[in-house]
Amino acid sequence: MAEDGFKVSLNVYDLSQGLARQLSTTFLGKAIEGIWHTGVVVYDTEYYFGGGIQSAPVGTTPYGTPIRVVDLGVTHVPKDVFEMYLQEIGPRYTAETYSLMTHNCNNFSSEVAQFLAGASIPDYILNLPNEVLSSPMGALILPMIQQLESTLRAGAVPQVPQFAVNSSHRTNGAVKTKDDDRKPAPQFAVNSSHQTNGAVETKDDDRKPADEGSNKKSVEKDPLGDARSKVQEEISREFAAIMATGTLRASEAAALATRKVMQRHGHMSTSAQT
């Protein structure tokens, strides 16, 4: 049953904070709703791609509050298997391979969503680069795109530009920004020797402690916990056995192990079993 798995969702952020919607028609000659950044939420953690594969507890990423959350379904893949999958794809998602137009956070979210839940993220998010470049002014904003790409490649959050009303009277009109407020995104160090359950512990004096409600939930007994644990253990054992044969990659082995166990418990449709 679906409730035996882990919920998977997509957090969607607008890096322009509304400016794209206001100014895109003027600057690009066509309407663009937002400059999208996404992260996949599963196991109470958000995973995303910036300066490498990164993760953070839900609600603590540098991108703030998502403007919308898209339900991607449920996964039965255990967390440890998922983190092995992240290690496998890690070399393809580094600061050096990041490209705002062709290999970005949304491409990462799409691949992870497919692996976890067999789901796709919305086309309007994946097609944004083509929308921008195909606009009448697309070629003219390439330098700005390259600058934004450098910021994201470093794992930092781009800042919304501030405009002074009149440059000749800038003394009272200019908006001051604080560099101290620009916090780098925490790195998901898949090869770190100090890795704890796949996520790197980060220290932030300004970050609020986790919601007490979430702590209380962890104390309460999950009535489905035993069944869920049994399924996860079976998937882990099946995964280890497949990997021992040396014939499949970790991502393929994880998908096959999950499918076998779900078929064994009758959680997949008849058409999926044939």
Side-chain angles (χ1 to χ4, degrees):
M1 296 176 63
E3 59 264 30
D4 290 341
F6 299 93
K7 181 179 179 182
V8 184
S9 59
L10 183 77
N11 279 357
V12 182
Y13 307 85
D14 177 14
L15 294 179
S16 75
Q17 298 183 29
L19 282 181
R21 186 185 302 107
Q22 298 174 30
L23 304 177
S24 58
T25 302
T26 300
F27 285 99
L28 298 179
K30 66 191 305 182
I32 299 293
E33 186 181 355
I35 305 299
W36 307 121
H37 166 81
T38 59
V40 174
V41 176
V42 64
Y43 318 117
D44 295 320
T45 303
E46 182 167 344
Y47 299 87
Y48 56 99
F49 175 40
I53 298 177
Q54 304 177 47
S55 71
V58 176
T60 66
T61 73
Y63 298 93
T65 302
I67 65 169
R68 65 180 65 111
V69 177
V70 180
D71 182 16
L72 297 177
V74 171
T75 185
H76 295 279
V77 176
K79 185 176 182 180
D80 59 340
V81 174
F82 175 62
E83 289 173 353
M84 289 186 66
Y85 163 75
L86 291 182
Q87 291 181 18
E88 179 183 292
I89 68 173
R92 291 194 287 109
Y93 290 98
T94 66
E96 292 72 26
T97 64
Y98 185 92
S99 169
L100 184 62
M101 305 307 292
T102 61
H103 192 63
N104 56 44
C105 58
N106 302 320
N107 301 117
F108 170 78
S109 294
S110 179
E111 182 172 346
V112 169
Q114 183 65 38
F115 173 79
L116 286 172
S120 300
I121 72 173
D123 287 339
Y124 72 85
I125 295 176
L126 289 174
N127 293 338
L128 177 63
N130 292 333
E131 288 287 315
V132 173
L133 288 182
S134 64
S135 67
M137 299 291 287
L140 298 180
I141 66 170
L142 276 177
M144 184 180 68
I145 290 175
Q146 291 167 347
Q147 182 177 4
L148 178 58
E149 181 177 297
S150 298
T151 301
L152 293 170
R153 182 177 290 163
V157 180
Q159 302 298 303
V160 176
Q162 304 290 341
F163 300 97
V165 177
N166 190 325
S167 60
S168 61
H169 300 285
R170 197 179 298 179
T171 303
N172 296 324
V175 178
K176 297 181 180 179
T177 60
K178 295 181 180 179
D179 290 337
D180 293 340
D181 292 337
R182 303 178 186 180
K183 300 176 181 178
Q187 177 71 33
F188 183 79
V190 293
N191 294 321
S192 172
S193 59
H194 300 288
Q195 184 174 329
T196 303
N197 294 329
V200 171
E201 297 180 359
T202 59
K203 294 183 179 179
D204 189 342
D205 294 338
D206 296 331
R207 184 173 293 166
K208 295 182 179 180
D211 185 8
E212 293 181 0
S214 63
N215 293 333
K216 291 180 179 179
K217 289 180 180 179
S218 63
V219 177
E220 296 176 359
K221 182 174 176 60
D222 183 358
L224 298 172
D226 292 340
R228 182 183 296 112
S229 297
K230 180 180 178 182
V231 170
Q232 292 169 24
E233 289 173 3
E234 288 187 34
I235 293 175
S236 295
R237 287 196 299 270
E238 194 74 44
F239 172 78
I242 296 172
M243 287 297 292
T245 66
T247 58
L248 297 177
R249 295 181 303 167
S251 57
E252 297 169 333
L256 179 58
T258 302
R259 185 167 62 251
K260 282 186 174 182
V261 174
M262 290 302 100
Q263 289 175 345
R264 190 179 304 151
H265 288 271
H267 290 183
M268 300 183 71
S269 63
T270 303
S271 60
Q273 298 179 35
T274 57

